[in-house]
Amino acid sequence: MTEELDLTGQDSDAGSEEVVLTPAELIERLEQAWMNEKFAPDLLESKSEIVECVMEQLDHMEENLRRAKKGDLKVSIHRMEMERIRYVLSSYLRCRLMKIEKFFPHILEKEKTPHEGELSSLSPEELVFAKQYMANTETYLRNVALKHMPPNLQTVDLLRSVPKPDLDSYVFLRVKERQENILVEPETDEQR
């Protein structure tokens, strides 16, 4: 577990740089992405590079465990650690899919018109899923309900029908290092 992994990231100059992470740092980043996604009201930026690296690391660990002695205590401890990592990874991906299913029209609309400097919040696979989910939802609504409605009511605007993420909801956060000069704006009567 002392080997280092390469994680390719994008910097602000639109070039690519290699970030070298140890497996422990990689798992720490996965856990941080998982907690951030879990407590954020909206879909956050995709961490597909971290997911791919963790999956490669799990495959590598599985190969190493196949070669290890059967009945060794270290093997069972490593298997438990692998299951813990798999749980965090699958929970992170389930959380993202749940948000995509819940807010799919708004997420797809946001993907159509990206703002300057804003990265895509969906991985390519998630984008395909979101588009298929939207097409399936529209087909289902049309076949089950809309075709039985009067002609003037046979259309539905999913952007208005599906609730938006509540970006004004409270979130939990933890400050990891000391911060100076933080300005908190006072609440107005509307914000209370």
Side-chain angles (χ1 to χ4, degrees):
M1 292 283 291
T2 60
E3 68 186 58
E4 295 182 345
L5 302 171
D6 290 339
L7 183 65
T8 305
Q10 297 292 328
D11 63 0
S12 60
D13 298 332
S16 65
E17 65 179 30
E18 295 256 337
V19 177
V20 180
L21 297 174
T22 64
E25 292 171 335
L26 182 65
I27 300 307
E28 185 179 324
R29 284 200 181 179
L30 174 66
E31 289 174 347
Q32 182 180 5
W34 172 52
M35 295 305 289
N36 289 344
E37 193 69 53
K38 192 173 184 177
F39 292 115
D42 195 14
L43 189 69
L44 300 177
E45 174 189 333
S46 174
K47 304 289 185 189
S48 57
E49 298 91 9
I50 293 174
V51 170
E52 289 172 14
C53 285
V54 167
M55 290 174 66
E56 288 174 11
Q57 185 66 23
L58 284 172
D59 291 341
H60 181 69
M61 289 172 69
E62 188 69 42
E63 286 179 29
N64 287 344
L65 287 179
R66 280 192 216 119
R67 288 182 270 163
K69 297 177 196 174
K70 304 291 183 202
D72 190 8
L73 181 61
K74 291 179 184 178
V75 173
S76 63
I77 292 172
H78 281 287
R79 286 210 189 279
M80 285 190 326
E81 180 66 12
M82 285 176 52
E83 292 304 317
R84 184 187 74 80
I85 294 168
R86 279 192 181 108
Y87 172 79
V88 171
L89 181 62
S90 62
S91 179
Y92 170 72
L93 294 173
R94 272 194 315 267
C95 184
R96 289 187 61 81
L97 286 177
M98 185 178 65
K99 287 182 182 181
I100 292 170
E101 289 175 355
K102 190 172 183 179
F103 307 120
F104 65 95
H106 306 288
I107 291 171
L108 287 173
E109 187 66 26
K110 187 175 159 185
E111 289 294 315
K112 282 183 193 173
T113 57
H115 298 289
E116 188 174 322
E118 187 175 300
L119 296 173
S120 173
S121 59
L122 295 176
S123 69
E125 296 85 6
E126 291 170 337
L127 182 61
V128 168
F129 173 78
K131 287 180 179 178
Q132 288 177 344
Y133 189 81
M134 184 165 186
N136 291 341
T137 302
E138 288 175 339
T139 303
Y140 179 76
L141 283 173
R142 202 170 21 260
N143 292 339
V144 172
L146 294 178
K147 72 179 184 181
H148 302 293
M149 305 285 279
N152 62 338
L153 298 174
Q154 288 189 354
T155 59
V156 65
D157 182 12
L158 288 175
L159 272 174
R160 290 185 0 181
S161 302
V162 175
K164 288 183 179 180
D166 184 10
L167 299 179
D168 293 330
S169 65
Y170 293 103
V171 295
F172 293 92
L173 63 101
R174 176 176 39 177
V175 180
K176 291 184 153 186
E177 55 190 52
R178 184 171 175 77
Q179 299 293 318
E180 300 286 333
N181 301 327
I182 305 272
L183 176 65
V184 179
E185 296 178 12
E187 292 180 348
T188 62
D189 288 335
E190 296 173 357
Q191 294 174 331
R192 286 194 183 133

